[in-house]
Amino acid sequence: GGGGGGRERGGGKRPLVVILHGGPHSAALDAFEPRNAMLLARGCALLLPNYRGSLGYGDDFVKALCGKAGSLDVEDCAELTSLALSENQGDLDGTRVCVFGGSHGGFLTAWLAGHPTHRKLFKAAVLWNPVIDIGGMLGTTDIPEWCAFEALGRSWRFGDGGGVWPLSANEMVALHAASPISVVHNVECAALLVLGAADRRVPPANGRQWAAALEARGHPCEVHDYPGEGHALGGAEATAHVTVTIVNWICTQLYSRVSPP
C-alpha cells in the first residue's frame, strides 16, 4: 500500500513522519537508515527530535530527564513537531503526520497518541516494543533500575534511597502516572504495534496491554508479533518483514486519506 511522491496529495505538501529514538539516553543521528530512506523515497518528510535526555548536548541536558520521563520528553517532542509544522507550512501537510518510535521512543509515541492535547497532532502512530506500563514492567524487565531512575529519579545504586525496591504505594501511583497506559483512553489515531515475543528488555505484555485497552474501547490497532525475536527484532527475516510492514503501513495511512481521521 501507500503512494509515491508526497507532493501529489494535500495541495502539494508532504506528509511528516516524526521518528523518536529510544534510550532515552542516546541520540538521533544524521546517518543512513534503510527504513528512513524508504520513507523519503515515498515522499515523506522526516523529523528526528533529540529531546531532553538525549546525548550530545551536555551533561545537564541528559540529567534533566531523570525522574521526569513522560513529561519533559513528551513536551519536547510535541513542541518540536508543532514548530516543524509552523515553520514549514508551505511544504508540510499538518493533517498527515505519523509518529513512530521504539522502546523509549515507543513510550513517547504512546504518550503522544494518548495525550489530552498533543494527540491532535497525529494521524497515525507506530510503536516498536514500546514501554507502556512502567510499574507493571518492574518485575519482568532485565533493567528494573531504568524504571526507577527515569520515572522516579532514584539512583540505580542500592542504599541511600537508591535501587528499585522497596516501592511505596505513592511511588507505584507515580509510575502509573508516568506511563502512557494512563492516557490510552484518549487514543484516536490509527496505530500499528510490532512486538518481539522474546523481548526481555521491554516484555511484549506492555504492547499487548495497550492493544487490549484499545480493543476494549472499540478502537483496535494492528499488531504484528515476531516469535523468538528480542528487543531489536534483529533476525534477518524479522528485520526485512518489519521494515517493509512499517513503511507500507505508514504510507497507506498518510496517502490513502488526506483529511484527519
Side-chain angles (χ1 to χ4, degrees):
R7 295 180 181 277
E8 296 176 4
R9 306 289 296 274
K13 299 180 181 182
R14 297 181 184 276
L16 175 66
V17 182
V18 181
I19 301 176
L20 306 177
H21 70 74
H25 308 301
S26 60
L29 303 175
D30 184 13
F32 178 78
E33 203 287 322
R35 188 171 49 248
N36 294 357
M38 292 169 71
L39 288 168
L40 289 168
R42 296 284 191 98
C44 298
L46 306 183
L47 174 66
L48 284 70
N50 278 316
Y51 48 84
R52 273 174 287 186
S54 301
L55 301 179
Y57 300 89
D59 198 44
D60 289 343
F61 194 83
V62 173
K63 291 180 177 177
L65 189 58
C66 173
K68 296 178 181 178
S71 56
L72 288 185
D73 44 1
V74 175
E75 293 302 317
D76 283 356
C77 293
E79 290 180 16
L80 287 167
T81 301
S82 296
L83 183 64
L85 292 172
S86 66
E87 291 192 350
N88 298 275
Q89 295 183 42
D91 191 55
L92 300 180
D93 182 356
T95 69
R96 294 189 291 158
V97 181
C98 176
V99 58
F100 163 42
S103 193
H104 189 83
F107 166 85
L108 294 173
T109 297
W111 254 114
L112 291 166
H115 193 278
T117 55
H118 302 327
R119 62 189 171 93
K120 297 176 182 177
L121 287 168
F122 304 102
K123 179 184 179 66
V126 178
L127 299 82
W128 175 311
N129 287 326
V131 176
I132 298 296
D133 182 357
I134 301 174
M137 194 174 92
L138 266 175
T140 56
T141 178
D142 62 357
I143 51 166
E145 298 85 1
W146 179 94
C147 302
F149 178 80
E150 302 296 350
L152 300 176
R154 293 177 62 163
S155 167
W156 62 270
R157 295 182 178 86
F158 289 93
D160 298 325
V164 180
W165 293 281
L167 289 170
S168 68
N170 287 339
E171 286 172 322
M172 290 302 295
V173 170
L175 291 177
H176 177 76
S179 301
I181 194 64
S182 66
V183 294
V184 68
H185 57 281
N186 293 325
V187 175
E188 294 180 344
C189 66
L192 168 68
L193 270 168
V194 293
L195 305 173
D199 188 354
R200 296 181 179 180
R201 181 62 41 90
V202 181
N206 274 265
R208 291 171 187 154
Q209 181 181 359
W210 200 74
L214 292 180
E215 181 75 31
R217 289 181 48 229
H219 186 76
C221 63
E222 184 174 333
V223 181
H224 290 263
D225 205 316
Y226 293 86
E229 290 293 331
H231 196 53
L233 301 180
E237 291 185 6
T239 297
H241 187 274
V242 76
T243 298
V244 173
T245 296
I246 288 173
V247 171
N248 282 344
W249 187 90
I250 288 175
C251 290
T252 296
Q253 299 302 319
L254 298 185
Y255 289 112
S256 63
R257 298 182 302 276
V258 174
S259 60

